[in-house]
Amino acid sequence: MSTTQAVEESDETLALQQGRPPLNVVYEWLTTVDHKKIGLMYIAYALVFLLVAGVEALLMRIQLAIPNNHFVSPQVFNQLFTMHGTTMIFFVGMPILFGFGNYLVPLMIGARDMAFPRLNAFSFWISAFAGILLYFSYVGASGLYAAGSAPDVGWFAYAPLTARVFSPGHSTDYWTLAIFLSGIGSIGTALNIVTTIVSMRCKSMKMSRMPLLVWLYLVMAALVFVAVSPLTAAQIMLTLDRYLGAHFFDTQAGGSAVLWMHFFWIFGHPEVYVLVLPAFAFVNEIVPVFSRKAIFGYPAMVAASVGIGFISLSVWAHHMFTVGMDAAANTFFVFATMVISVPTGIKIFNWLATIWGGKVIFATPMIFCVGFLFQFLIAGLTGIMLSAAPFDWQLGNSYFVVAHFHYVLVGGILFALFAAFYYWYPKITGRMMSEKLGKWHFWLFLIGFHLTFDFMHVPGLLGMPRRIYTYEAGRGWGALNFLVGVGAIFQAAGLLCFLYNMIRSYYHGKEASHDPWDAWTLEWSTTSPPPDYNFATVPTVNSRRPLWDLKHPEDPDSDYE
Amino acid sequence: MLVLSVTLAIFLIVAGLLLYALVRYRHRPEDSDREPAQIYGSNQIELSWTVIPILIVVMLFLATTRVILGTQGIPKPEQTTNVTVIGHQFWWEYRYPELGVVTANELHIPISDPAKPMPTYLTMSSADVSHSFWVPRLAGKTDVIPNRVNTMWIDPQQAGLYLGQCAQYCGSQHAKMLLRVYAQSPADFAAWVSQQKKPAQQDFTGNAAAAEGQTVFMHNACINCHAVGGTAATGRFGPDLTHLASRDTIASGAIENTPANLRKWIDDPSSMKPGSLMPPMHLNQHDLDAITAYLTQLR
Amino acid sequence: MRDANAIPIESIDGPVETPWTLPYRGTVGMACLILAEAAIFVIFVVAYIFYLGKSVSGPTPREVLELPIFGTICLLSSSITVHFAVSALRQGKLRNCSLHLAGTVLLGLIFLITTAQEWYHLIHDEGLTIQTNLFGSTYYSLVGLHATHVVVGLLMLSLVLGFSLFGLVKEEHSEKLEVLSLYWHFVDGVWVVVFLVVYVLGR
């Protein structure tokens, strides 16, 4: 640590950072290849789209708050749910998780940057362009007020609805091209992550000593290769159909609508694991620190994570139980889906065992992790319900499914992301976020989340299908939909609280030391924020918790590993 | 039920333990600064919470397989009412091949008696994009997919009206592609069938408006999309209108079938179901009155 | 694989015991790219196999496809020449490397020409286009996707060939050339699969 400080004091370039003309700063960010800046750009970009997609959700909830509402037209509503889903998955979820990965992985393995810095920058900018392209569709054709040419085919764009004959105009093409480009960016970043983890670890950091976050990002990136590519292939086929008259999904010429579904879900299911594995990663780092105990069962956690990665490739057709596959196929996918609950359960039990016997500190990062633990448990259990095909025959494509996956994405992944923000904000900015505002954020968002998504299960059970812009009175869905909408407002309030906290703390937050949480992984050994070169001296490690070893020389982890 | 109780039990146990751990092991101000004992793992504990979930999964899987095979695997029963269902954007076509009936949007079926089962066997496909047939109180949903034939059976034991709607996003009016299944006693069903088998009403003596309406109808583009049994109208793109007046609703369950509504629909379908594929017919007021008078006679 | 840039780092506690070498990042990166591209090809092959025999009309594979023996031999040989180019560079035989690179590019170009000839025949004589039927759609997209990858590979190889003719490619670049050769081997490997699925099994 002292060598780092000495080097920073003599590093004159740091002093030059103050008071530079704004244009220079902008140019620096536009042309940077530094993983930390690229990571932050990914995160900022994702937060902007989070707000936009959140507004889209609010508009939908207002339309659905009462039966037979006329707040938006059916066409606009159909565009809203398509854009909301597409944006949240591709322009919020993926970038924000790639952003954290970009920032943290090199720091945690003692590297100075990612393996391919220029590819890193390219991947970010092509993804950014893709998002802007998708939103440009709003101003096409009939113009902004009528939601232009924004896609209206649903985020999974089932064939043959996406064929030229059923979707004239360019709305589908915006969807296809934007996601295709973002897929290229995703593959680029994933390639970078894998190569960095394999080839750039600091000396003595064997794979078995990597932090669990790094393991999970390794599995996630490997999944990206095998998951995103099928979607890319299917989109090429769709574009060939639409523009060169091919017949891949042209049912009139013998093509198969079900083939699109297979290809899409071969992408779609691993994709949600791509999104959730980093959430596990954050929890794996935060829960031990705030329980003051090492993670319980590190080898099992690694095995479970890798196992989840592999099994997730075999469960895709549980999204297709109602398509009319034969009993053998249905049974196989039931089995594979149920099996994946075993490694997932192991992870939950390991987290429980980490907390057990510890000294739990309920700082903001930890309370969000607690939310994650309960909510992810529930989400997993509703998933098990849905994995029983006969259950799914009733509840598939209904609001029960919508409630289930939002439970995972919002109750699980978003809560874990909030925890990650509060935990690493001091490292990134050198300031602490306000605990008081953090608690406001938590409680507002928790109330909103549960109001919305707990109640949302019920209309599904009562027969309400998804993607409908309105519903009849007298079905018994009205009051529940109204409550769901109220919850959305609380969530918006919580989110605003969070954004205010981030901005205010940047200027007025308490200054953070290099290790405000008394944590144990390498990123906490350098300054807050880290210098451009990350570490003055490339560290070496003797165990999974190098800083624990330094702080507890009488009882280092290396004695037990 | 098994799935529900197992998942509920798991939730109560795990959430309970979690809650307990968070309360019992919270950091108290009077605690010493010493870190708690660092436990890295335990082979026995980890083994047990691997094996027990595997056993639970096996049990759930076997129970689920039994239901799947019990639904999908059974042979087609002896006595069934066979209906061919064809999904369209945004309406349902029903054909009873053995009974010689073609209708749309309102499915009539006989109820079944456990002593003498008479289920209804649905053979389904789509004329355009993917739809899904879902009447929750009767059965789970089955997708209705172009270039693919799916089958399912329903077996209501109680007479009544069962509501549902299309459950696979199919375009702008997916929300109003509603399902109405009328389960009737065998006698009522037989009466309905015999009424539906008759060709359309063509004799309108004493009802000048309806007679005129028939002429207007047959000379307009209506006949390109709609069929009226026994007349020159044989279009298949839109619903069969032979017995339109016998239905409670129009526009696939979305609108009550009254003369005023019918007139408004024909004038401009998009005013009531925006995105419907029926174009406005641009008829003058007089013709609209006539056609409405005609169609309301087609019982 | 040895990291060509590995320098022994003194640890804070003492001298290095064993050398810390990690795989060369270029190779790892290329392996990842190959994995992703392989997944894309798998989907196109699956579509091809799925739609065999399902065309509603039009020419069938058996009627119009002939085994592209000559092109295949050229393409697969180009894997051998590129291998020799890499080993030549490793031994510092720069002219030898240029020669083998030229051979690789030439053989690749011949393959593309035979493909072009085949397509010309199919379109003009047999009337098979991507629009004709399911076979046309799946055939042209799969073979076309492969041909696109051949084009990209040839562009890269030509670039390196150009550099080498100016004497800019040296022994220390051998690891990078090997990474490029991995891509080329992948392209050839895909062709083996396409050949078997389209021209052998599918007919």
Side-chain angles (χ1 to χ4, degrees):
Chain A
M1 255 41 65
S2 54
T3 42
T4 308
Q5 272 177 298
V7 171
E8 268 118 37
E9 274 152 14
S10 60
D11 182 350
E12 285 157 16
T13 59
L14 287 176
L16 292 170
Q17 300 286 325
Q18 322 297 337
R20 287 178 307 149
L23 224 54
N24 278 20
V25 177
V26 169
Y27 180 76
E28 181 191 327
W29 282 81
L30 284 176
T31 57
T32 186
V33 295
D34 172 33
H35 71 101
K36 298 185 290 297
K37 292 206 176 66
I38 294 176
L40 291 175
M41 286 197 286
Y42 262 122
I43 293 173
Y45 173 88
L47 285 173
V48 169
F49 277 108
L50 178 67
L51 289 173
V52 173
V55 166
E56 286 163 347
L58 276 168
L59 293 172
M60 287 194 282
R61 290 322 316 173
I62 295 175
Q63 165 67 16
L64 290 173
I66 54 173
N68 289 316
N69 205 358
H70 295 285
F71 180 67
V72 292
S73 73
Q75 286 86 344
V76 168
F77 186 90
N78 295 339
Q79 288 166 306
L80 284 174
F81 70 67
T82 304
M83 292 294 272
H84 169 81
T86 307
T87 307
M88 284 295 196
I89 300 269
F90 294 103
F91 301 111
V92 179
M94 300 287 272
I96 207 166
L97 296 168
F98 279 141
F100 272 100
N102 243 313
Y103 197 98
L104 293 171
V105 167
L107 283 169
M108 283 180 146
I109 60 174
R112 294 200 189 283
D113 205 321
M114 296 284 261
F116 302 112
R118 282 171 298 188
L119 177 65
N120 207 4
F122 170 75
S123 301
F124 169 71
W125 288 109
I126 201 173
S127 302
F129 174 72
I132 294 170
L133 177 66
L134 180 67
Y135 274 81
F136 184 75
S137 65
Y138 270 123
V139 298
S142 39
L144 185 59
Y145 186 69
S149 278
D152 61 351
V153 288
W155 90 277
F156 30 91
Y158 275 173
L161 185 59
T162 47
R164 247 272 135 95
V165 62
F166 296 112
S167 285
H170 293 300
S171 57
T172 303
D173 302 316
Y174 276 108
W175 178 87
T176 312
L177 194 57
I179 298 182
F180 180 82
L181 292 175
S182 122
I184 294 178
S186 300
I187 293 180
T189 307
L191 191 158
N192 233 328
I193 291 176
V194 172
T195 310
T196 306
I197 294 174
V198 173
S199 296
M200 314 274 289
R201 280 168 285 133
C202 66
K203 179 182 171 324
S204 66
M205 185 175 283
K206 305 188 281 194
M207 298 279 279
S208 58
R209 287 185 188 157
M210 300 195 308
L212 282 174
L213 182 144
V214 179
W215 269 108
L216 278 155
Y217 266 94
L218 179 62
V219 179
M220 174 255 213
L223 258 187
V224 166
F225 300 132
V226 192
V228 172
S229 303
L231 181 62
T232 308
Q235 289 180 319
I236 295 174
M237 293 176 185
L238 177 62
T239 309
L240 288 173
D241 271 15
R242 284 176 62 88
Y243 284 98
L244 289 183
H247 304 290
F248 284 99
F249 310 113
D250 176 7
T251 46
Q252 302 290 322
S256 167
V258 176
L259 193 65
W260 171 270
M261 294 169 86
H262 277 297
F263 290 159
F264 186 85
W265 288 113
I266 287 174
F267 151 77
H269 195 84
E271 166 69 13
V272 307
Y273 282 92
V274 167
L275 294 174
V276 92
L277 289 175
F280 294 161
F282 302 144
V283 175
N284 276 327
E285 297 301 323
I286 297 172
V287 164
V289 169
F290 291 93
S291 307
R292 306 312 304 161
K293 270 181 74 209
I295 191 86
F296 186 93
Y298 174 101
M301 284 297 226
V302 173
S305 309
V306 174
I308 289 174
F310 274 107
I311 303 175
S312 73
L313 294 169
S314 67
V315 304
W316 77 87
H318 67 226
H319 300 269
M320 296 164 61
F321 279 142
T322 57
V323 157
M325 297 186 296
D326 59 43
N330 280 336
T331 310
F332 170 76
F333 286 106
V334 168
F335 181 68
T337 310
M338 287 187 175
V339 161
I340 210 170
S341 68
V342 174
T344 313
I346 288 175
K347 293 185 85 75
I348 297 183
F349 301 142
N350 276 342
W351 287 319
L352 175 59
T354 305
I355 296 173
W356 197 278
K359 282 193 186 150
V360 183
I361 299 167
F362 288 100
T364 311
M366 186 60 177
I367 53 179
F368 275 105
C369 282
V370 170
F372 167 89
L373 287 169
F374 282 102
Q375 285 151 189
F376 183 73
L377 174 66
I378 296 174
L381 293 172
T382 56
I384 299 231
M385 286 187 219
L386 286 166
S387 75
F391 226 91
D392 188 80
W393 291 333
Q394 278 288 5
L395 295 175
N397 250 345
S398 76
Y399 264 88
F400 190 88
V401 175
V402 180
H404 160 74
F405 68 70
H406 280 94
Y407 234 87
V408 187
L409 291 167
V410 182
I413 295 172
L414 189 58
F415 270 69
L417 268 166
F418 286 144
F421 269 106
Y422 284 92
Y423 184 63
W424 277 294
Y425 185 92
K427 176 55 55 183
I428 295 172
T429 61
R431 303 245 185 195
M432 304 297 287
M433 285 179 82
S434 153
E435 280 289 310
K436 186 153 161 273
L437 280 172
K439 302 229 164 42
W440 270 96
H441 167 203
F442 175 77
W443 288 107
L444 278 171
F445 201 87
L446 190 78
I447 292 170
F449 170 79
H450 283 281
L451 253 180
T452 298
F453 295 110
D454 287 2
F455 286 108
M456 194 186 272
H457 288 88
V458 185
L461 289 164
L462 293 177
M464 182 175 180
R466 51 189 293 199
R467 303 170 150 191
I468 52 175
Y469 70 92
T470 191
Y471 51 93
E472 309 250 286
R475 297 301 295 271
W477 303 341
L480 292 158
N481 271 290
F482 187 80
L483 274 171
V484 166
V486 170
I489 300 174
F490 275 89
Q491 288 177 71
L495 203 57
L496 289 172
C497 212
F498 169 65
L499 291 169
Y500 174 66
N501 195 352
M502 279 216 291
I503 297 172
R504 187 175 181 283
S505 304
Y506 186 75
Y507 297 103
H508 301 292
K510 199 178 73 166
E511 268 190 40
S513 69
H514 62 85
D515 183 14
W517 307 115
D518 197 359
W520 305 309
T521 40
L522 281 179
E523 76 271 28
W524 304 105
S525 70
T526 185
T527 58
S528 302
D532 279 352
Y533 43 84
N534 290 352
F535 303 96
T537 329
V538 175
T540 58
V541 302
N542 291 318
S543 76
R544 293 167 191 153
R545 296 191 296 169
L547 269 62
W548 170 277
D549 292 351
L550 283 167
K551 294 173 189 171
H552 300 267
E554 77 289 353
D555 186 27
D557 270 3
S558 43
D559 284 353
Y560 299 96
E561 281 177 17
Chain B
M1 254 352 268
L2 175 68
V3 174
L4 235 68
S5 31
V6 168
T7 51
L8 185 64
I10 295 175
F11 173 71
L12 289 172
I13 296 173
V14 180
L17 284 169
L18 201 48
L19 200 55
Y20 175 76
L22 289 166
V23 170
R24 163 88 171 75
Y25 295 106
R26 68 190 187 283
H27 173 74
R28 295 175 189 76
E30 58 273 14
D31 273 347
S32 68
D33 275 338
R34 251 182 2 169
E35 307 279 31
Q38 302 291 301
I39 316 260
Y40 300 93
S42 155
N43 282 339
Q44 295 103 301
I45 298 181
E46 296 185 53
L47 196 62
S48 60
W49 70 43
T50 309
V51 170
I52 295 176
I54 290 178
L55 292 173
I56 296 178
V57 162
V58 169
M59 178 185 57
L60 284 177
F61 169 68
L62 290 173
T64 307
T65 307
R66 193 143 58 101
V67 177
I68 295 177
L69 292 175
T71 319
Q72 285 191 273
I74 56 169
K76 190 172 165 193
E78 286 285 310
Q79 285 262 70
T80 59
T81 309
N82 290 313
V83 182
T84 306
V85 178
I86 301 171
H88 295 260
Q89 280 180 317
F90 306 99
W91 59 280
W92 300 94
E93 179 179 346
Y94 302 118
R95 296 166 167 267
Y96 299 69
E98 287 125 18
L99 300 172
V101 172
V102 178
T103 183
N105 295 328
E106 294 180 2
L107 179 62
H108 288 249
I109 56 177
I111 55 171
S112 186
D113 187 336
K116 194 167 167 285
M118 183 64 165
T120 302
Y121 195 78
L122 303 175
T123 306
M124 311 192 289
S125 187
S126 167
D128 40 39
V129 300
S130 292
H131 303 274
S132 190
F133 187 94
W134 189 30
V135 182
R137 283 170 55 213
L138 287 179
K141 63 181 64 66
T142 304
D143 289 356
V144 175
I145 300 173
N147 198 25
R148 184 187 178 91
V149 175
N150 278 339
T151 56
M152 67 181 279
W153 49 271
I154 48 181
D155 194 20
Q157 323 252 303
Q158 265 196 315
L161 170 60
Y162 294 83
L163 297 176
Q165 59 191 100
C166 175
Q168 181 69 273
Y169 178 64
C170 51
S172 38
Q173 279 299 334
H174 163 66
K176 291 201 172 169
M177 192 170 155
L178 307 179
L179 285 161
R180 297 171 74 85
V181 180
Y182 294 81
Q184 302 176 299
S185 68
D188 287 343
F189 178 68
W192 178 83
V193 169
S194 62
Q195 174 64 20
Q196 295 287 316
K197 277 162 85 148
K198 292 190 192 140
Q201 175 90 325
Q202 291 202 63
D203 176 15
F204 295 107
T205 47
N207 191 338
E212 190 193 348
Q214 181 175 37
T215 318
V216 174
F217 184 90
M218 296 299 161
H219 285 100
N220 254 293
C222 317
I223 61 173
N224 290 331
C225 291
H226 292 285
V228 179
T231 70
T234 51
R236 288 275 156 234
F237 188 73
D240 188 293
L241 300 179
T242 314
H243 300 283
L244 177 64
S246 70
R247 300 185 205 147
D248 293 334
T249 59
I250 57 173
S252 195
I255 304 166
E256 204 188 331
N257 188 3
T258 64
N261 281 340
L262 188 58
R263 190 180 187 285
K264 195 160 169 235
W265 172 260
I266 298 167
D267 186 23
D268 183 10
S270 285
S271 66
M272 305 175 95
K273 198 169 167 181
S276 160
L277 294 181
M278 173 164 159
M281 296 314 295
H282 298 303
L283 298 168
N284 60 47
Q285 299 302 310
H286 177 79
D287 283 348
L288 270 173
D289 288 330
I291 286 196
T292 310
Y294 166 60
L295 290 173
T296 48
Q297 293 302 311
L298 294 179
R299 286 188 199 86
Chain C
M1 224 158 291
R2 281 213 63 223
D3 180 355
N5 303 313
I7 32 172
I9 299 168
E10 295 287 305
S11 83
I12 299 174
D13 314 293
V16 170
E17 296 114 346
T18 45
W20 176 251
T21 53
L22 291 170
Y24 175 54
R25 60 195 174 110
T27 315
V28 177
M30 182 52 75
C32 293
L33 182 65
I34 288 175
L35 180 60
E37 298 271 31
I40 297 184
F41 275 106
V42 163
I43 297 296
F44 275 94
V45 169
V46 165
Y48 187 88
I49 296 176
F50 182 79
Y51 280 135
L52 273 176
K54 294 213 173 76
S55 292
V56 166
S57 65
T60 62
R62 189 166 301 185
E63 286 166 15
V64 300
L65 287 184
E66 283 163 20
L67 287 176
I69 304 269
F70 181 61
T72 304
I73 293 178
C74 286
L75 189 67
L76 295 182
S77 312
S78 70
S79 257
I80 303 175
T81 51
V82 82
H83 173 80
F84 282 129
V86 172
S87 55
L89 188 61
R90 262 208 217 102
Q91 294 160 34
K93 299 184 186 151
L94 304 180
R95 256 206 69 198
N96 208 316
C97 173
S98 298
L99 231 61
H100 279 102
L101 277 177
T104 310
V105 172
L106 185 64
L107 288 166
L109 275 172
I110 296 176
F111 171 80
L112 282 180
I113 291 170
T114 59
T115 305
Q117 286 174 326
E118 183 188 5
W119 284 20
Y120 183 85
H121 166 74
L122 285 171
I123 295 171
H124 286 252
D125 302 331
E126 308 282 5
L128 179 73
T129 67
I130 200 172
Q131 296 183 6
T132 310
N133 57 7
L134 287 171
F135 164 55
S137 300
T138 52
Y139 169 81
Y140 282 108
S141 58
L142 178 56
V143 177
L145 189 69
H146 175 260
T148 311
H149 282 73
V150 173
V151 168
V152 169
L154 284 179
L155 278 168
M156 298 299 289
L157 286 164
S158 307
L159 208 63
V160 177
L161 175 63
F163 285 144
S164 74
L165 291 174
F166 282 98
L168 296 167
V169 178
K170 310 235 174 60
E171 194 176 330
E172 63 259 29
H173 302 126
S174 60
E175 213 154 12
K176 293 192 175 153
L177 184 62
E178 178 162 19
V179 167
L180 179 56
S181 78
L182 278 176
Y183 176 81
W184 192 250
H185 291 310
F186 166 68
V187 169
D188 285 3
V190 169
W191 180 249
V192 170
V193 173
V194 171
F195 181 84
L196 284 173
V197 168
V198 173
Y199 295 94
V200 177
L201 292 170
R203 280 197 313 161

